[in-house]
């Protein structure tokens, strides 16, 4: 077994959520393993101990912790009529020497970009996004996919769907036409989109869902590439992307 202590905060911190007693539980994850947890909440700060079998990667356990803390905070928010967010800061392995500090990004996405701390955006890109509702919806959902781990597939697929809807010649056209347009103009194989979709079907219908971190990373890489291509498509005046510059995007 491995035991980790997760440190988190509930935002905004100006609302001092606290519980007098620890909250303990055992959960059988649909990923095929069982874990136990004990969490304490004081003045919008959370300390959570989580024990799980060896072999489960830390980022998957982080998502388990986020799900349990998030359920509690969602209940508090419902009871109070308030909106809260969870920020997991760090994890320390109790039974071994190991500490991890979590950032606000997705490592695989940050590696793809390899950009410095300064934010540089071309004027053409900014204007293209501001003029296109589909791009705005896609980017909002991509942001939510980063923040809500268990529903990453749901929000990623919605981001792709937003691009598809925007690419229709007429809003009333059948979705099939939009998907054909997206796959052709952005050079995307159906299998890549289907991989994201299979991780969206359960949460979009209100059913419990789980996702391993390795699959979450693949969902992000595919969605990131499609959204990025869509933005280039907009900047280029809505012309199909060139075959020589954009190899066919597959699920592999």
């Amino acid at each position: 077994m491995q035991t980790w202590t997760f440190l988190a905060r509930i935002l905004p911190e100006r609302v001092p959520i606290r519980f007098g007693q620890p909250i303990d539980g055992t959960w059988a994850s649909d990923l095929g393993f069982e874990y136990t947890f004990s969490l304490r909440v004081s003045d919008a700060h959370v300390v959570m101990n989580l024990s799980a079998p060896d072999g489960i990667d830390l980022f998957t356990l982080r998502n388990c912790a986020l799900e349990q803390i998030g359920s509690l905070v969602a209940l508090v928010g419902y009871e109070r009529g308030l909106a809260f967010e969870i920020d997991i800061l760090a994890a320390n392995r109790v039974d071994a020497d190991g500490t991890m500090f979590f950032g606000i990004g997705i490592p695989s996405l940050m590696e793809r970009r390899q950009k410095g701390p300064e934010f540089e955006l071309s004027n053409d890109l900014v204007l293209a996004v501001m003029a296109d509702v589909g791009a705005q919806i896609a980017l909002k959902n991509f942001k939510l996919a980063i923040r809500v781990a268990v529903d990453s597939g749901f929000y990623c697929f919605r981001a792709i769907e937003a691009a598809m809807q925007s690419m229709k010649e007429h809003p009333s056209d059948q979705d099939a036409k939009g998907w054909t347009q997206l796959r052709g103009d952005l050079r995307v194989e159906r299998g890549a989109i289907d991989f994201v979709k299979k991780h969206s079907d359960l949460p979009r219908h209100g059913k419990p869902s789980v996702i391993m971190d390795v699959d979450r990373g693949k969902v992000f890489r595919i969605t990131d590439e499609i959204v990025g291509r869509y933005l280039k498509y907009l900047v280029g005046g809505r012309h199909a992307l060139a075959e020589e510059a954009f190899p066919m995007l597959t699920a592999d």
Side-chain angles (χ1 to χ4, degrees), residues 174-205:
Q174 294 293 317
D175 285 355
K177 286 188 175 181
W179 285 120
T180 299
Q181 186 83 20
L182 182 145
R183 293 196 301 269
D185 285 1
L186 303 188
R187 299 190 45 74
V188 180
E189 282 191 354
R190 180 169 183 167
I193 297 172
D194 286 346
F195 182 84
V196 179
K197 184 178 183 298
K198 78 175 183 179
H199 289 286
S200 76
D201 287 342
L202 290 178
R204 76 187 293 153
H205 293 297

Side-chain angles (χ1 to χ4, degrees), residues 4-5 8 10 31 56 61 64 67 79 84 102-103 111 121 138 157 159 164 178 189 211 217-218:
W4 291 85
T5 297
I10 302 170
L31 291 173
I56 309 300
L61 295 180
C64 291
E67 184 176 4
E79 292 290 336
F84 296 104
F102 299 107
E111 289 171 4
L121 297 172
F157 190 67
M164 178 274 291
E189 282 191 354
I211 184 169
K218 185 173 179 179

Side-chain angles (χ1 to χ4, degrees), residues 141-238:
N141 278 277
F142 197 79
K143 176 191 70 175
L144 289 169
I146 293 175
R147 293 171 64 178
V148 188
V150 71
D151 289 335
S152 294
F154 168 69
Y155 288 118
C156 279
F157 190 67
R158 277 185 60 177
I160 298 172
E161 277 190 306
M164 178 274 291
Q165 296 290 350
S166 181
M167 294 180 75
K168 291 180 180 179
E169 185 176 354
H170 302 288
S172 59
D173 287 347
Q174 294 293 317
D175 285 355
K177 286 188 175 181
W179 285 120
T180 299
Q181 186 83 20
L182 182 145
R183 293 196 301 269
D185 285 1
L186 303 188
R187 299 190 45 74
V188 180
E189 282 191 354
R190 180 169 183 167
I193 297 172
D194 286 346
F195 182 84
V196 179
K197 184 178 183 298
K198 78 175 183 179
H199 289 286
S200 76
D201 287 342
L202 290 178
R204 76 187 293 153
H205 293 297
K207 297 179 180 180
S209 65
V210 292
I211 184 169
M212 291 290 289
D213 193 67
V214 63
D215 288 334
R216 187 176 184 234
K218 185 173 179 179
V219 165
F220 270 120
R221 287 191 294 273
I222 292 172
T223 307
D224 180 38
E225 184 64 28
I226 293 175
V227 171
R229 291 186 180 197
Y230 178 63
L231 297 180
K232 290 181 175 66
Y233 166 85
L234 293 179
V235 173
R238 290 183 170 268

